[in-house]
Amino acid sequence: MSIEEEEDAPLINSDQPNFFSTERNLNSIMGRFLNPDKQRMSKWILDMPRIWRLYDRVRGIALSRDRFQFIFKYEEDLQEVLKTGVWTQDDWGVVMERWVEDLPPNYLMFLLIWLRLRNIPVNHYTQATIKSIAKCVGQVIEFPFDENEAQSKDYVRIRILFDVSKGLRNSKEIQLPNGSMVKIGIDYERIRKRCFQCQRLTHEKPRCPYLPSVASISITLLLVYHLISALVV
Ligand SMILES: [Zn+2]
């Protein structure tokens, strides 16, 4: 066997307890940056214990350019951080979830976000209407709304689980039983930067894979030109 072949053989990791970090991971969260090109891992790891006001009760580990882990001393601190839902580094989103031993395929693919829905039609200002609108954005998780209580804000808050592979919608048009159309405005709490082309949280507009290419714009212009020429003749 050559040296290269020998080196290529995988290193078998021991099953001895000191080779496992499972015990330590029980009180930890895993996370990933949504736009790692614009986010700084070392700053995130060093700044967050102070921003969370947890100081020596938590420590971060940079696992890769975009993945990290935070290990907490106390369960309640971990819960408090997750409860906030959206955190950002350099204004771009960060997804975090509690550590689990076997990571499911959709792990770190969802953000817990509070929506603010505006312009709900007065004749349909009900829990059922509001929930059905929010479902167009994601799975409804929390909805502290009572139809019989005063509503002091000009929007309704509802918390959803948002699939970060999708773009955020800024509005949703609904058709009422009388046939009229209403546009519901949607805002997202604590979300800062996003792509202004496709509304995704993973890149800036200049890097958007959904931007119409220069080639397709040229072809469209050429078709329009031929169409106009044909009409003129
Ligand atoms: Zn985009």
Side-chain angles (χ1 to χ4, degrees), residues 209-221:
Y210 303 94
L211 269 178
S213 67
V214 176
S216 72
I217 293 170
S218 310
I219 290 167
T220 312
L221 285 175

Side-chain angles (χ1 to χ4, degrees), residues 195 197-200 203 208-210:
C195 169
Q197 175 68 24
C198 70
Q199 307 297 322
R200 283 176 174 77
H203 55 265
C208 183
Y210 303 94

Side-chain angles (χ1 to χ4, degrees), residues 88 95 119 157 192 211 222:
T88 50
V95 190
N119 200 29
R157 290 179 90 220
R192 301 175 84 111
L211 269 178
L222 206 64

Side-chain angles (χ1 to χ4, degrees), residues 44-59:
W44 173 253
I45 295 290
L46 297 174
D47 284 356
M48 292 323 280
R50 179 179 48 80
I51 291 170
W52 289 332
R53 297 178 190 277
L54 296 176
Y55 309 101
D56 62 345
R57 283 158 32 210
V58 65
R59 66 191 165 90

